[in-house]
Amino acid sequence: MTSQIFIIKTIEKLRKFKFLILLCGVIFAALLYFYSTNIAKTYTVTSSVFPLTSGPDKNSATSKISELLGGGGGTKSLTEEANVNIEEVGRSKKTREAVVSERLPEFNNKYIADLLYDEYNLHKKFYAPKLIKPATDSALIKEGALLLKSLYSVKFNKNNLLEITYTSTNEKLVTPISYVLIDKISRFYTELKVKKAQFDFDFTEKKVDSLDKVLNKYDKSIIKQNNTTLFVRPNKLEYVIPQENLQTEKIQVLAQRNGAASNREEALWRKQKVTPIIEILDKPDPPFVIGKPSKIIYIIVGFILGCILSSLLFLSGLIYRFINNLASEAIKEKLAEPKNNIAEETNVINNI
């Protein structure tokens, strides 16, 4: 069967079964239409919150103090260090577990994890297995944290506002869970900021004490040399052994000590000013963004899919014969090649 014959027969067959093909397309379109009506709506809300944090401040008072005390060049200011990333705090497992372990009074005081399980099983895909709730609360919270991970996002927008987006198939769950998310992210972030500020203060306090001890040693060494190397001459001129090396080292340590002292004041200031860091600008209240698949798209896709599948079904026999003929012709050509080669070799030998 040649390609031209195959194309002609294909067109004839499609004409013969065109009404059945169209009927199959309509049936598939109807099936996908009813499927789209059973897909649950999704409700999404985005909360815009403002984190009360500050970045590096080159004109801060502590930086000016450090410069005046001579420690600005040799010691790194604490404001130049990396801050705690609130996005990572919001996406962390600890935050998710804290959220799903909260109970909602408006839902019979159930765990949020329990409610997420109910929503998943209620609106799961027909081919997805039903999730069985763990027997213990700790296991329920861990598994619920995994379900929550795909339902929300935390990111900064171009205006440097933190956006917390939450999506649910239950309209009544969107607002309370969003508020719990904001509360937990704010609390954990504040705790980390306080902990870091306390660590910075303790570190700088120890460093200042250590440098003070070094300076005291230099002072004792200088006093000792002054007391043991004083020379008196008959003409009443007094002189001591030069102490340039000790003085130079003392000045270097003093500069480090001044820089550490300015960092200590900065750490103390940061520790005292840490406050709740989130102010809600856009509250997670209605109206929500409703997500619902377009029925028209499902109808069009179903009709096209039904026509293609039914056409392939009616043409399956013709396609099989065409492929079989191509394979048979290819095998015959392969088998004929050795005979032609033998005949050519025989003619060459006879000519010789």
Side-chain angles (χ1 to χ4, degrees), residues 166-206:
Y166 179 74
T167 302
S168 176
T169 53
N170 189 338
E171 186 178 6
K172 296 180 180 179
L173 282 177
V174 177
T175 297
I177 293 181
S178 295
Y179 274 112
V180 174
L181 272 169
I182 294 171
D183 177 67
K184 295 302 180 183
I185 293 172
S186 175
R187 183 180 303 176
F188 289 157
Y189 185 72
T190 305
E191 290 175 357
L192 287 173
K193 294 283 287 184
V194 172
K195 186 176 181 180
K196 186 177 186 303
Q198 183 64 48
F199 175 81
D200 290 340
F201 177 77
D202 294 340
F203 173 78
T204 53
E205 183 74 16
K206 291 178 182 178

Side-chain angles (χ1 to χ4, degrees), residues 298-333:
Y298 273 83
I299 291 172
I300 294 173
V301 172
F303 180 78
I304 295 173
L305 185 63
C307 291
I308 293 175
L309 292 178
S310 58
S311 298
L312 292 176
L313 179 64
F314 292 131
L315 296 174
S316 59
L318 184 61
I319 294 172
Y320 173 77
R321 289 195 299 271
F322 178 69
I323 295 174
N324 192 27
N325 289 336
L326 291 179
S328 300
E329 291 176 1
I331 293 172
K332 289 178 181 179
E333 290 178 0

